[in-house]
Amino acid sequence: MSLKMVKMQQDPLQRSNNLPDFLKSVKLKHVKLGYHYFISHGLYLLSIPFIMVCIYLSIGNLEVLVELWNDFGFDLVTMILCTTFLVFIATVYFITRPRKVYLVDFSCYKPAESSLICSRERFMELSVIRGSFYEENLNFQRKIVERSGLGQSTYLPEAVLRVPANPCLAEARKEAETVMFGAIDELLEKTGVKPNDIDILIVNCSLFNPSPSLSAMLVNHYKFRGNIMSYNLGGMGCSAGVISIDLAKQLLQVHANSYALVVSMENITLNWYFGNNRSMLLSNCLFRMGGAAILLSNRSSDRHRSKYQLIHTVRTHKGAEDRSFNCVFQQEDDSKCVGVAISKDLMGVAGETLKANITTLGPLVLPMSEQLLFFMSLVGRKILKLKIRPYIPDFKMAFEHFCIHAGGRAVLDELEKNLELTDWHMEPSRMTLYRFGNTSSSSLWYELAYTEAKGRIRKGHRTWQIAFGSGFKCNSAVWKALRTINPTEEKNPWMDEIDKFPVHVPKVSLMK
C-alpha cells in the first residue's frame, strides 16, 4: 500500500471534504497586524457614520443654519472681543509649547592609526607581558575574551598598548583630546557649523575627570564663546550619553535659536586594571577606545537639513536600592589597585531597571492595541488571579530600529530574549560590539551609524536608543527620522567596510 493511500485512510474526512489546514494556512502574525490596525484606527472607522449623518443634516437644513446665524446678531464689538481672545490664546499656546529638538548630524571617532588595533591575541600577549596577573586569572581573561563577542579590530589607546604600559595623566589627556577632537572636527565639517555658533556644550565621561574639565579643554581648543553654557558630567556610567541628550533637550526648551554640542566618551588610559580581582578584570576584556559628537538644534530653519527629531527621553534611576547601587562600583582591591567591580547581580538589576523604564516609555510609544493587551493581561493576573504569563508588549510595533548599548554579549542576549527581537533588530548592536567593543556611552551612536550605513533609515522611521549605567540607571531616547538617509552621502566609521557586515559571531572564538 502506498504512503498516499495510508494518509487517505488516516484522514478520510479531510480528504473527502478537501478542507484546508487553517492552522497552517493562516499566519498568526497577520491576524495580530489586523487586530493592531483595527484597534489603532477603530475610532476613525466608527466616526465615519456620525460624520455622514452630520453632513446630511447640515445640507438638508442649510436655511435653518442661516436663519440661526442672523437671529444671533453678532455686532462689531463682539467680533473684536472674540478675535482678540482667540489671538491671545493662540499666542500663549505658541509661546509655551515645547520647542522641537532636532539632531542635525553626529559623528563617531575611528582611529586612523592601525597601530591602535588590538586583536584578541594581542590583548592576551599584553596581559602576559604585564606580569601582574596570576595564571588562573590569565585563563579567566582568555575565556571572557573568547566569549565576549569582540572581534579582531577593536582599538586601545597607545599608553595601554605600550610595553611597559604608561597609564599617566598626560597620556589620559592625550587620549581624550584625540577622541574628542577627532569626532568634533568631523561633525563641524559635515554640518558647516562654526565654533562660535555653539551655545551649549555638554561632555560626559564617567571615569576621567581632570581639572580643568574636559568641557574646558574643548572651550580652549575650539575657542568657543565666553558665554557658552558648558557642562561636564562624570561618574554616570554607560548610560550618560542619553542623560546628556536629555540635559541638552531641557536647555534647548529654555533657550531659543540655539545649538547644543554633546560629546560622549570614556577614557581607557587611567582606568586599566592591573590587579587580580576577577570582577574588576571584566572591564579590561570588554571596554575599548571610542567617542561620539552630536549636534542638536531647536531652530525651525534647521529642520529641513536635520536627520532626526527627538521625540521622547525617559530616565530611570534605581540608586535608592543598595543592590542596584553596588552592582557596578569603582573601588580599590586588596592590593590597593583601583578598578570597577561588576557584581553577579548585574543582569538581575538590569532586568528590573529595564522593566521600570519601559513601563514609563510604553504608554508614550506603543499603539493602543498593545496597551490594551497588556492591560488585559495585568487584570487577568492581578485581579482575576488567572495563571497566565504576563504579556510582553511588542515594541516592534512602535519602533523600526533598536540601538541597545553594546555592553557585552550577555546583555544583548538577554534583551533580545526579553523584548522578542530578531537577529535583524539586534544586528547594529552585535556588529558594534564586534567591530569597536564596548565604547561606553558612545556605543549607541556607532550603532545608529551602522543602521545608516546599511541604508535602513527611511523618513518617518522611529529608533529606540536604550542604555544601562552604574548607579544603577536605564535611560531611553526615541528619535524620528525626518528624511531618508542615503548611505552614499554619509561619512561615518562604517562606510569603508560596511559591505563586510554582518558577520557571524560564534558563541566561542578560540584564540590561536
Side-chain angles (χ1 to χ4, degrees), residues 18-145:
N18 197 26
L19 295 175
D21 188 345
F22 287 101
L23 292 179
K24 294 182 180 179
S25 61
V26 178
K27 293 186 177 180
L28 294 181
K29 68 175 183 178
H30 295 156
V31 175
K32 185 173 182 179
L33 285 173
Y35 162 78
H36 161 69
Y37 183 85
F38 176 77
I39 296 297
S40 300
H41 300 86
L43 181 62
Y44 304 105
L45 296 175
L46 294 175
S47 65
I48 291 177
F50 176 76
I51 295 174
M52 296 297 292
V53 171
C54 291
I55 293 174
Y56 173 77
L57 293 177
S58 63
I59 294 176
N61 300 275
L62 185 59
E63 295 180 358
V64 175
L65 294 176
V66 173
E67 291 179 2
L68 183 63
W69 174 268
N70 294 331
D71 293 340
F72 197 77
F74 283 110
D75 55 27
L76 182 60
V77 176
T78 305
M79 293 297 295
I80 292 176
L81 290 176
C82 290
T83 304
T84 303
F85 178 74
L86 291 175
V87 171
F88 174 76
I89 294 296
T91 302
V92 171
Y93 169 76
F94 283 107
I95 291 177
T96 58
R97 69 171 181 170
R99 292 185 174 91
K100 295 181 179 179
V101 176
Y102 305 111
L103 191 159
V104 181
D105 212 332
F106 68 96
S107 62
C108 301
Y109 171 72
K110 181 179 181 180
E113 303 86 357
S114 59
S115 59
L116 298 182
I117 294 177
C118 182
S119 64
R120 294 190 293 267
E121 289 76 16
R122 187 180 184 186
F123 171 85
M124 287 309 306
E125 290 174 4
L126 291 171
S127 297
V128 172
I129 293 174
R130 303 286 185 237
S132 60
F133 303 117
Y134 301 148
E135 184 65 29
E136 57 267 27
N137 284 339
L138 288 173
N139 293 330
F140 171 76
Q141 291 184 76
R142 181 177 288 105
K143 290 180 180 179
I144 294 298
V145 171

Side-chain angles (χ1 to χ4, degrees), residues 353-403:
T353 314
L354 172 66
K355 181 180 178 181
N357 188 268
I358 64 178
T359 299
T360 304
L361 180 66
L364 299 176
V365 299
L366 286 171
M368 186 58 65
S369 57
E370 287 298 300
Q371 296 188 47
L372 182 59
L373 289 174
F374 178 78
F375 176 75
M376 292 170 60
S377 171
L378 187 65
V379 170
R381 290 186 301 110
K382 299 296 184 180
I383 299 179
L384 303 179
K385 305 299 181 181
L386 300 177
K387 294 182 179 180
I388 57 177
R389 295 177 58 188
Y391 181 75
I392 300 175
D394 187 359
F395 280 91
K396 297 188 293 295
M397 291 284 189
F399 305 109
E400 285 78 21
H401 309 286
F402 296 80
C403 294

